[in-house]
Amino acid sequence: NKKVFRPDDPRNLSALLSAKLTELKEEEQHLKTILPELTKHLGGREPRVKFYAGEEGFVAVLADVLRSGVKELLFIWPVGEMTDLIGEKQMQDFTYSRLQRGIRVRSVWPHSVIIPKLRLQDERARVAPKSLAWSMGACIYGDKVAFISSRAERFAFVVTSHDFAELERTHFELLWQ
């Protein structure tokens, strides 16, 4: 009743890896077919709020913006403060990915804005009247509004609500004018 084990020919590892890759590609295709149905049932039209902390939260918010599929982002944005807070490298990566997806940006900056070294490409920006100032950033995209706090508080949150996004879009357009 003895069992003898011997290693298989190491050249077979390549065939095993190929089989696993094929299996993963099939799983990926299956996921692509069921994903729209799964995301359709993510809560319907019920408003949601998601909070994030620190730099990882800021990066998660930017990733959500890119995944949204919108073609225009509306920023109410103290651009220098946000670039410092999020990081120049992260903003460059975000800009590159945004441009790859064909997403345009319109921004309203506070009057006291310090023009950053890094400017977003394909961005139209206007400066708000002198009487208006803010240190927190907001991004309106699709049915979502993301808020990113100042350096002092270091948090972000995203509100998913069609009605709320429309209200904030109206506020943006008033500032834009």
Side-chain angles (χ1 to χ4, degrees), residues 38-177:
L38 292 174
T39 55
K40 189 167 66 173
H41 301 294
L42 266 179
R45 296 189 50 96
E46 184 177 317
R48 293 184 311 275
V49 179
K50 185 161 185 175
F51 287 88
Y52 301 91
E55 187 176 322
E56 299 82 27
F58 307 148
V59 173
V61 168
L62 293 178
D64 187 55
V65 168
L66 292 173
R67 280 191 310 269
S68 70
V70 301
K71 290 300 176 190
E72 182 178 56
L73 305 174
L74 307 176
F75 282 108
I76 300 171
W77 203 245
V79 66
E81 170 83 11
M82 292 295 107
T83 301
D84 288 346
L85 184 64
I86 294 168
E88 206 165 303
K89 171 78 169 99
Q90 293 293 345
M91 290 303 290
Q92 287 172 339
D93 292 347
F94 172 74
T95 300
Y96 176 78
S97 297
R98 179 181 61 77
L99 290 171
Q100 295 297 105
R101 291 169 170 81
I103 303 171
R104 297 175 314 280
V105 170
R106 282 194 297 151
S107 296
V108 176
W109 298 346
H111 192 273
S112 60
V113 71
I114 297 168
I115 305 299
K117 297 173 266 180
L118 172 70
R119 283 290 309 267
L120 295 179
Q121 294 173 310
D122 202 12
E123 174 187 34
R124 291 177 26 216
R126 293 188 178 170
V127 177
K130 250 185 188 177
S131 60
L132 300 176
W134 61 88
S135 61
M136 191 168 179
C139 177
I140 305 156
Y141 57 106
D143 285 348
K144 296 181 178 184
V145 182
F147 294 94
I148 297 177
S149 74
S150 65
R151 195 181 343 235
E153 296 180 346
R154 303 186 61 79
F155 74 93
F157 65 95
V158 177
V159 178
T160 304
S161 163
H162 176 77
D163 292 344
F164 186 71
E166 284 302 310
L167 175 66
E168 289 304 304
R169 201 169 272 108
T170 300
H171 290 153
F172 175 87
E173 293 300 342
L174 287 170
L175 279 172
W176 185 257
Q177 297 306 320

